[in-house]
Amino acid sequence: MEQLKRTTSTDSNFKSMVTLLDEDLAERDGDDNAFYAQFNGIVHLKYCVVYYIDNLPVGCGAFKPFNETTIEVKRMFILPSHRGKSIASKVLNELELWAKELNYYSSGLATKKWTIR
């Protein structure tokens, strides 16, 4: 059974997924990881999603307000064993839906921006 759960950064399963994400990023980023790590805190994230299959967390994502109309997507991660199954799209869709419910209408950073459907 698949399930999406809206939560906050205090959720233990969200924290566990982020730990795995941080390990993955440390390996990918190598020597640059310390620089990027400063932007990856989760303490102030109020809008987090955990994706479950058979009650096991396999993916996550979050967003934070960038300004009054725009959000920034943060901490997206899918377990390697579950990639290629459209889980990231489902997590992102849920984050966009939640943001839209809160009256945000765009997402992105200066380099990439899109309108929330």
Side-chain angles (χ1 to χ4, degrees):
M1 180 177 90
E2 297 180 23
Q3 176 188 6
L4 275 164
K5 176 185 172 187
R6 291 181 180 184
T7 188
T8 68
S9 61
T10 62
D11 182 276
S12 62
N13 287 321
F14 179 76
K15 287 180 180 181
S16 296
M17 296 302 297
V18 168
T19 297
L20 295 172
L21 168 60
D22 288 340
E23 291 170 2
D24 183 63
L25 290 174
E27 185 176 319
R28 290 174 192 252
D29 294 340
D31 294 339
D32 293 332
N33 189 61
F35 172 77
Y36 293 117
Q38 67 181 319
F39 303 111
N40 293 332
I42 64 169
V43 173
H44 300 293
L45 294 178
K46 298 180 192 176
Y47 311 105
C48 306
V49 170
V50 179
Y51 192 89
Y52 296 86
I53 296 179
D54 297 328
N55 296 317
L56 297 173
V58 299
C60 69
F63 72 85
K64 71 175 189 176
F66 187 71
N67 60 34
E68 295 79 26
T69 61
T70 306
I71 62 159
E72 179 182 357
V73 175
K74 306 287 288 177
R75 314 311 283 157
M76 290 284 300
F77 180 73
I78 308 300
L79 291 176
S81 59
H82 288 78
R83 293 179 185 163
K85 300 177 183 179
S86 299
I87 295 170
S89 294
K90 293 174 186 177
V91 169
L92 185 57
N93 286 338
E94 185 66 17
L95 292 171
E96 289 181 337
L97 175 63
W98 197 358
K100 188 175 180 180
E101 290 170 7
L102 295 171
N103 296 316
Y104 294 99
Y105 62 84
S106 65
S107 179
L109 299 171
T111 57
K112 186 171 184 177
K113 191 171 184 174
W114 65 93
T115 301
I116 297 174
R117 302 178 290 262

